């Protein structure tokens, strides 16, 4: 989730489809890194207490945030967890991944819900104050 970033791999041993994913991973790291390195971390759900840990990092000026949501092990109940955010401005409006817009109050009180695709799936959601 930020800090130093590199690959410990031999590109010659990768499948072509794996090699093609590297530029997108680097682009994602460059987008996440400034927020994570300088921002405030909110631990929303801890791994020891939930199959769906989550963390939110908000930039120092509050204009951007990134949500990391995970599923450790899937269950037969197929729970779609509700993750309530923290640290947002209740009256401000936030655009999620350049798409839908919600108030900070809605995101903190009502939360967000995700469907995960199996064990160790994850979601990264970018928020921008509008």
């Amino acid at each position: 989730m930020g800090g130093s970033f590199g690959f410990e791999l031999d590109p010659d041993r990768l499948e072509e489809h794996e090699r093609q994913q590297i530029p997108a991973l680097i682009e994602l790291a460059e987008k996440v890194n400034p927020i994570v390195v300088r921002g405030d971390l909110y631990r929303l759900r801890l791994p020891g207490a939930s199959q769906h840990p989550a963390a939110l990092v908000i930039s120092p000026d509050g204009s951007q945030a990134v949500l990391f949501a995970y599923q450790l092990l899937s269950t037969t109940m197929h729970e779609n967890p509700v993750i309530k955010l923290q640290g947002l401005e209740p009256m401000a409006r936030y655009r999620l991944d350049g798409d839908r817009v919600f108030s900070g109050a809605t995101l903190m009180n009502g939360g967000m819900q995700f469907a995960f695709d199996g064990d160790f799936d994850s979601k990264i959601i970018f928020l921008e104050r509008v």
Side-chain angles (χ1 to χ4, degrees):
M1 289 189 342
S4 66
F5 177 77
F7 291 106
E8 295 292 331
L9 53 84
D10 179 357
D12 294 331
R13 297 180 72 186
L14 297 176
E15 299 288 331
E16 182 59 30
H17 74 277
E18 295 171 321
R19 227 182 339 268
Q20 291 175 355
Q21 293 176 2
I22 292 174
L25 290 172
I26 292 170
E27 182 180 335
L28 177 61
E30 289 173 348
K31 186 174 180 181
V32 166
N33 197 44
I35 299 169
V36 170
V37 169
R38 294 180 188 92
D40 293 323
L41 172 65
Y42 292 84
R43 293 176 178 93
L44 306 175
R45 293 176 138 204
L46 298 176
S50 173
Q51 284 291 337
H52 298 98
L56 177 70
V57 183
I58 302 175
S59 65
D61 67 0
S63 67
Q64 296 179 311
V66 61
L67 171 67
F68 299 94
Y70 306 92
Q71 174 169 278
L72 300 179
L73 298 175
S74 59
T75 65
T76 56
M77 298 303 287
H78 300 292
E79 174 191 5
N80 292 332
V82 174
I83 299 173
K84 294 182 180 183
L85 306 188
Q86 298 175 10
L88 302 177
E89 295 176 28
M91 300 305 291
R93 301 191 50 80
Y94 295 88
R95 184 178 319 279
L96 279 60
D97 280 343
D99 190 20
R100 299 174 295 162
V101 176
F102 297 95
S103 71
T106 297
L107 295 170
M108 292 189 296
N109 296 316
M112 301 172 64
Q113 194 168 28
F114 301 103
F116 290 95
D117 296 325
D119 294 348
F120 307 108
D121 191 20
S122 63
K123 308 286 184 201
I124 298 176
I125 307 295
F126 288 93
L127 293 85
E128 183 177 7
R129 188 176 58 209
V130 293

